[in-house]
Structures are given as C-alpha cells and as structure tokens.
Amino acid sequence: MPNAKVLSEKQAIVAELTEKIQKAQAGIIVDYKGITVEEDTALRRECRENAVDYSVVKNTLLRFAFNNTGLSDLDELLNGTTSLALCDDDPVAPARIMNDYAKKLTDKFEIKGGFMDGKPVSLDTIKSLASIPALPVLQAQVLGTMLAPITGLAVVLKQIAEKQGAPAEATAEEAPAAE
C-alpha cells in the first residue's frame, strides 16, 4: 500500500491530467521509445511554438484520467512508453507535429491513437488531420483567394487608366509648347 503522501501526489497528477484532457480540443498518444535527447528537444520546441502541451505520462495515471473523461476506449493503447500531446486552440496542431516526427523518426516514434472533442479517433483520422496546413497558413490561403479578384480588378483598372491617360498626358505636354 503506497503511503498517503505519494497517493495524494498521484491523485493531484490525475486531476491535473483530467482537467487538461477536458480542455483540449485534440490529443495524440505517442510511443516515443528510442528517441535521442536532441530529437526530443526539437520536438518539444516545435510543440511550444505551436501551443501544444507535450509530456511523458505514466500509463496508469493516464488511464485514470481517460476513465475520468469518458475516453476509456483508449486504455488499450496505454502500454510501453507513452507521451501525450494536447492542444486547446488548434485541433490539427498535435496531429500535424506528431505525424511529422513519426515520419522523420521511423521505428523510434509511433502514433498510438488520439482523441478529438472528447471522442477517440482512428489513426486514419489523425493522418488526415495531419495533412491539413497550420492555421496561419490556412488563413493566408483564404485571404489570398479573397484578395485575388480585387487585385485582378485593380490591375485591369490601372491598365485602362494608363491607356486612356497616355494621349491626355501627351496633349497636356504639347499645349504649353504651343503658347
């Protein structure tokens, strides 16, 4: 039987994990065995830059947190080395980052599964999410498509103005010479 102090610390960790999972729009469970410190540091840096909370978690504690949040279907994935990537703002970010690292670090880094909006999702869904560009890129693409017709109109109007303005400028220059 664990002592009361250790038990209360573990209960606090489970409560914190439960809260994080409930707030998160999406989460990815990863098997990270064999990655180097350099690879882990680069992964954590990219996660921080994209507001993704990435941490190594004990399977037992994560199992309790999943059971508290109704994600007990993910219990079967909790074996071996486990880390968890969560994001509150962008549901695509954890899938994209973890999938990129799974491609870079084959055999060392493997996506086990994940959840989105409080429901488990398949590996195919995670890979589909990973193919969606980052939110700033999507925003730029939408803005670009909105600006394209306006830019085209501006170019046409400028060409019309130049075409009509060229003879008028010439006659304006010639007029003072006639005096």
Side-chain angles (χ1 to χ4, degrees), residues 107-176:
D107 300 334
K108 294 183 190 178
F109 198 83
E110 180 185 343
I111 296 174
K112 294 181 181 182
F115 64 91
M116 187 170 175
D117 294 326
K119 296 179 186 112
V121 293
S122 68
L123 286 175
D124 292 335
T125 304
I126 292 170
K127 291 181 183 196
S128 296
L129 285 172
S131 66
I132 298 172
L135 188 59
V137 174
L138 283 175
Q139 290 170 334
Q141 289 174 346
V142 169
L143 187 59
T145 57
M146 290 171 53
L147 289 177
I150 296 169
T151 305
L153 178 64
V155 168
V156 169
L157 291 174
K158 182 180 178 194
Q159 289 175 347
I160 291 171
E162 287 175 354
K163 205 179 248 185
Q164 292 176 349
E169 289 174 10
T171 55
E173 291 173 5
E174 293 172 6

Side-chain angles (χ1 to χ4, degrees), residues 42-54 97-98:
L43 171 64
R44 289 176 185 273
R45 182 181 312 115
E46 189 170 345
C47 286
R48 271 191 308 275
E49 290 169 359
N50 290 285
V52 173
D53 181 15
Y54 175 79
I97 294 168
M98 297 303 123

